[in-house]
Amino acid sequence: MTNESENGPILVFLGPTLRLAEAAPVLDAIYLQPAAQGDILLAAHAFRPRAMILIDGQFEDRPAVRHKEILWALAQGIVVIGAASMGALRAAELNDFGMIGVGVIYRWYRRWRLAPDDAVAVLSGPPELGFLPLTDALVDLQRTFASLARRNLLTDAERDLLTTMARNTNFRERRLEAILHTAGWRKEDIKELRKDIVGQKKLDALLALRSAQTLLRQGNAGHRVSDAWVATNTFVRDLEASGIDSELVNTYKLNP
């Protein structure tokens, strides 16, 4: 799946948002597990990519991917694109520094800076099962309830009630079936509504993959990428706590 060129491959950090079998035909790239703290730095050294697409990230068993390491990647000349899940969050936060955001969820986080991080979070299975999603993301449920209301399959009151219930449910237990059951829906109706769920995270992830080549040609046009990247003591300590050689920060330069 490697898209080799003189400038290196494209890396994609992917997990529960989109199945690998669905992603690989869309973009020829190296697909990696959801990114956690230090993974961008390590992946850059391992593959010397020209671009990274951050879709999924880890945040419970391991510390989440740091803003500082994304800024480091940008300072090396690596194009960094974010969408759908952790990628949308980080892109909304780092857009002014050169990270490129794609999709509805990214734009939502750009507009609502204090929107909850857990709106894109899901509980997922282990790596051996491809990080299979076990729950539904709040953003997907909100889009689903809004779509059903527009089609007159829900009243406005029902949409608002279900949306509130979803927001008040922990992401580890947030499932369409459970929410509808608690709201008093019949099993038969719940089964039918499952077919209508709007997978906005998946749609945004696919859009990012389809847009990657165009975005690469555009590069960081219109974005400010800092050349004065400095490793803070806190960042170095975070790397060392994760067992990562902090010297990697200073020894690798794509654009020396």
Side-chain angles (χ1 to χ4, degrees), residues 2-192:
T2 307
N3 183 19
E4 294 288 347
S5 77
E6 61 182 7
N7 294 319
I10 299 173
L11 307 183
V12 181
F13 294 94
L14 185 67
T17 294
L18 182 66
R19 300 292 84 207
L20 178 58
E22 298 173 293
V26 178
L27 179 67
D28 191 16
I30 295 175
Y31 288 88
L32 305 173
Q33 293 184 0
Q37 176 182 291
D39 285 348
I40 284 180
L41 181 67
L42 293 174
H45 279 273
F47 298 104
R48 292 185 173 270
R50 70 181 186 276
M52 296 182 176
I53 302 176
L54 176 60
I55 294 175
D56 288 304
Q58 301 184 49
F59 58 91
E60 285 199 295
D61 297 339
R62 295 176 59 190
V65 60
R66 292 288 194 260
H67 301 76
K68 196 73 173 178
E69 63 187 297
I70 295 174
L71 293 174
W72 173 85
L74 291 169
Q76 314 311 308
I78 301 171
V79 176
V80 185
I81 300 166
S85 193
M86 180 68 76
L89 275 169
R90 291 293 181 262
E93 295 158 342
L94 298 176
N95 175 266
D96 292 341
F97 299 95
M99 188 171 179
I100 301 171
V102 176
V104 170
I105 298 169
Y106 157 72
R107 294 196 299 273
W108 183 66
Y109 274 118
R110 281 278 290 170
R111 182 177 181 183
W112 307 105
R113 292 300 185 123
L114 298 180
D117 290 1
D118 81 331
V120 292
V122 298
L123 184 68
S124 65
E128 295 78 11
L129 296 179
F131 297 96
L132 185 70
L134 304 176
T135 58
D136 297 307
L138 176 59
V139 288
D140 286 352
L141 292 176
Q142 288 181 157
R143 298 284 285 181
T144 298
F145 299 146
S147 174
L148 292 171
R150 286 194 299 269
R151 294 161 54 195
N152 295 319
L153 297 176
L154 289 179
T155 66
D156 290 346
E158 288 173 328
R159 177 202 59 200
D160 294 345
L161 172 62
L162 293 173
T163 298
T164 298
M165 292 175 65
R167 287 173 179 165
N168 292 337
T169 301
N170 187 278
F171 79 90
R172 300 173 188 84
E173 302 170 350
R174 193 181 279 144
R175 282 185 53 80
L176 176 67
E177 290 81 358
I179 292 168
L180 292 175
H181 176 74
T182 301
W185 289 66
R186 299 184 307 165
K187 287 185 178 180
E188 296 80 4
D189 295 332
I190 293 174
K191 186 176 181 180
E192 285 300 312

